Amino acid sequence: AASDEQPAPKVMKKKIAPARKIPFVPNAYQLSLDRRTIRRNPALTKFHEWLKIQTSSGYVTRQETVSMIPPVVLSVEPHHTVLDMCAAPGSKTS
């Protein structure tokens, strides 16, 4: 019967801000979305799959902005040797 039917769930559409260039890091951009939202939001499934492919192919490296600061501040040159005493498995070691 029509009275037994549940109303359709509301789909909330929120505009997502475009990626923002990080001014002090060459070729770096910051998304307005956190990792959990990208993984769990069904509307972002295609983007998440694209991001995983680009990351595994080496075209994109995902890092926190704070992890991008040391190389910029240190101005590391190809002939330099750097020992990162805070490095651990994760995006900082890339």
Side-chain angles (χ1 to χ4, degrees):
S3 62
D4 294 336
E5 292 179 20
Q6 296 291 324
K10 290 184 181 180
V11 177
M12 308 266 311
K13 292 187 178 183
K14 180 181 171 185
K15 289 190 177 186
I16 299 170
R20 172 178 74 79
K21 178 124 179 67
I22 300 173
F24 54 88
V25 182
N27 305 312
Y29 296 85
Q30 185 170 27
L31 298 176
S32 62
L33 300 167
D34 62 273
R35 183 179 303 159
R36 183 176 180 188
T37 300
I38 292 172
R39 275 194 235 133
R40 294 187 178 187
N41 186 326
L44 298 173
T45 301
K46 287 183 181 180
F47 174 67
H48 184 226
E49 291 303 315
W50 177 87
L51 193 57
K52 289 191 306 186
I53 291 168
Q54 299 306 308
T55 301
S56 66
S57 299
Y59 294 111
V60 172
T61 301
R62 296 186 277 175
Q63 289 186 310
E64 295 291 329
T65 305
V66 69
S67 298
M68 298 179 201
I69 296 171
V72 173
V73 174
L74 291 173
S75 300
V76 178
E77 299 287 332
H79 63 280
H80 292 161
T81 300
V82 177
L83 175 61
D84 183 351
M85 300 298 286
C86 297
S91 63
K92 279 193 350 177
T93 58
S94 57

